[in-house]
Amino acid sequence: MNIKGLAHVAIQAKDYSATIRFYTEALGFKRGHHWSLPSFQIKEASMLISPDGRTCLEIFDDEAVIPAQGKKARSEDEVAYGAMLHLAFYVDDVDEAFQTAIAHGAKPYVEPGNLALGEPPLPIRNALLHSPNGEVIEFIQDVDFDVESRYSGF
């Protein structure tokens, strides 16, 4: 297999400038490239690079005609259904990331807390929120999900 990892997740922004500001100012992404592509009705698009330099978010203006899963929600209260459920970012401190995002206009969804997943229990600390653009974002402290490699019998 030639897969190296996740390259990017694409987001269509209701408010393009505000979405760019949220991901750069609140979450530490940097703008790597900016373009337009009239043949796809893309007025504005940017590739934002994560703080670790490996994963990107591709942000499109609201009128861009791009391949997508699901349909847009008609209102902020309506849930949009499609292939993507949420974005998850590893963070050093869930509480700090959550509070920073809230201070930059995100809305709380699940407050920071601890969970034990599965058997054997895998402890995690996470929180979820809605970005100002509406994406569900999870912050999770670094965890090794490769449990099957550590335990026999799976």
Side-chain angles (χ1 to χ4, degrees), residues 21-146:
R21 275 193 310 278
F22 175 75
Y23 282 102
T24 57
E25 294 175 10
L27 303 187
F29 281 74
K30 70 176 183 177
R31 186 185 266 185
H33 189 57
H34 177 261
W35 67 94
S36 64
L37 196 57
S39 61
F40 286 91
Q41 299 176 7
I42 298 170
K43 294 176 189 168
E44 294 187 278
S46 289
M47 193 64 77
L48 304 181
I49 304 167
S50 67
D52 71 2
R54 296 188 43 85
T55 306
C56 297
L57 294 176
E58 189 174 24
I59 311 295
F60 292 98
D61 69 85
D62 195 39
E63 301 303 316
V65 179
I66 55 172
Q69 293 286 336
K71 296 183 180 186
K72 289 183 183 181
R74 291 176 288 215
S75 71
E76 283 191 29
D77 296 328
E78 182 182 62
V79 174
Y81 291 96
M84 187 179 82
L85 300 177
H86 63 267
L87 303 172
F89 298 113
Y90 282 121
V91 296
D92 290 326
D93 185 323
V94 167
D95 299 83
E96 180 182 342
F98 186 81
Q99 291 305 321
T100 299
I102 298 298
H104 283 85
K107 295 176 184 168
Y109 186 45
V110 176
E111 297 284 331
N114 297 314
L115 297 171
L117 301 178
E119 281 297 324
L122 181 65
I124 67 162
R125 181 156 183 81
N126 74 336
L128 289 100
L129 49 81
H130 292 273
S131 80
N133 191 55
E135 300 87 42
V136 176
I137 296 174
E138 177 182 8
F139 296 128
I140 185 169
Q141 283 180 209
D142 204 4
V143 62
D144 181 2
F145 282 106
D146 193 8

